[in-house]
Amino acid sequence: MKAPIAAAVALLLTACATTTSPTGRTQYVGGVSQAQLNQMGEQAFAETKAKTRQSTDARQQAYVRCIVTDIVRELPANWQQLKWESVVFVDDNPNAFALPGGKVGVHTGILTVAKNQDQLAAVIAHEIGHVYANHHDERITRQLGAQGALGVAGALLGSRYGEGAQQTTSQLGGAALQATFLLPGTRTQETEADVVGQELMAKAGFDPRAAVALWQNMITASGGNQPPQWLSTHPNPQNRIAELQARATSLVPVYEQARAAGRRPNCG
């Protein structure tokens, strides 16, 4: 590594920090502050709402909002205090996402794949798991590190985030935000979101076994051809289903305890 590049990387790393994810994995975070991260998520969500048609079906919106509310209730208090918001977008792609700042988007396409509230909770809890596990912070910090290694100056004030993203100056905004936030996570992050999400849904009173059925439905929906975009960065589907099944077995007591304590979701 050449000296100027090494110096750039060293400078970046001094501004970052390590933390531990909900599963105990060491993470490098801190490329931006939490307040900036939340603002970026809010801006990316606002831009998505401006560009993508929202469902006018009040029942769909209430259905998703109910599941989000029940899952968020199982997060630590500081995470519950975010301004959580959910929107159903008209898009046939079976997809969903969650962003820092408490923003959750669900495509109408996933509503035909997730056959009941427990299966949809598996999708939503997985996405909220990404936020709770600081995956967006981790992704941005990693990308800033890559930019530093390439000698890109002013990464925090104006740079390209993701292929084809437009230049941004005062904030990491516009298309740059969406390119950073809405790209799939790494396989490590996707697996971790599975672990975190399945536990969250069980604690909220959603059947963790539904995660298995959901992913079986996703494979069926692909028609045996190219997996849906949402599956593209995940581990091998069959291996993943086996892992979900094993965790579901261990989480059934958590689910039953939640139900006994009165957490019985009724979202439709």
Side-chain angles (χ1 to χ4, degrees):
M1 182 179 289
K2 294 182 179 181
I5 296 178
V9 174
L11 180 62
L12 174 69
L13 291 178
T14 60
C16 300
T18 59
T19 189
T20 302
S21 76
T23 65
R25 180 174 61 87
T26 299
Q27 298 172 291
Y28 291 94
V29 297
V32 294
S33 70
Q34 187 62 52
Q36 287 175 310
L37 196 63
N38 291 345
Q39 183 180 17
M40 291 161 67
E42 290 167 2
Q43 183 177 342
F45 198 60
E47 292 181 5
T48 301
K49 289 194 292 183
K51 295 176 181 178
T52 309
R53 186 159 61 96
Q54 299 175 36
S55 172
T56 57
D57 188 330
R59 291 174 299 178
Q60 286 182 341
Q61 299 288 0
Y63 178 37
V64 169
R65 185 166 54 249
C66 176
I67 293 173
V68 170
T69 298
D70 284 347
I71 292 170
V72 167
R73 194 176 291 127
E74 301 309 314
L75 294 173
N78 60 316
W79 287 93
Q80 293 183 39
Q81 292 168 4
L82 295 174
K83 297 177 181 178
W84 287 92
E85 176 186 4
S86 64
V87 172
V88 178
F89 295 101
V90 178
D91 190 324
D92 290 338
N93 180 34
N95 203 0
F97 62 90
L99 300 173
K103 309 305 177 185
V104 179
V106 171
H107 292 184
T108 50
I110 199 68
L111 300 180
T112 63
V113 177
K115 304 299 184 182
N116 53 50
Q117 66 172 8
D118 296 291
Q119 291 182 18
L120 186 57
V123 177
I124 292 173
H126 171 97
E127 296 302 330
I128 290 177
H130 278 303
V131 176
Y132 177 41
N134 295 309
H135 288 168
H136 299 85
D137 190 348
E138 190 175 29
R139 189 182 312 170
I140 288 173
T141 301
R142 182 176 65 247
Q143 181 134 10
L144 289 173
Q147 289 176 327
L150 292 172
V152 179
L156 285 174
L157 296 179
S159 60
R160 293 181 181 272
Y161 270 66
E163 184 179 356
Q166 67 185 36
Q167 190 80 13
T168 181
T169 53
S170 61
Q171 297 179 17
L172 301 176
L177 268 177
Q178 289 185 312
T180 300
F181 277 134
L182 302 183
L183 285 173
T186 65
R187 287 195 176 188
T188 296
Q189 290 178 336
E190 295 297 339
T191 298
E192 188 166 61
D194 273 354
V195 174
V196 173
Q198 205 171 9
E199 182 176 0
L200 282 174
M201 67 181 292
K203 288 181 176 179
F206 295 102
D207 192 339
R209 292 166 292 196
V212 177
L214 180 278
W215 288 107
Q216 290 171 334
N217 293 350
M218 289 290 281
I219 292 173
T220 300
S222 73
N225 300 314
Q226 182 68 26
Q229 181 182 357
W230 203 51
L231 281 170
S232 61
T233 56
H234 289 265
N236 176 276
Q238 295 300 333
N239 293 344
R240 188 147 178 265
I241 286 175
E243 292 173 358
L244 288 167
Q245 182 64 67
R247 281 194 298 271
T249 300
S250 67
L251 285 169
V252 166
V254 176
Y255 161 67
E256 292 175 342
Q257 183 177 9
R259 302 279 291 184
R263 291 193 287 278
R264 296 174 174 269
N266 184 24
C267 297

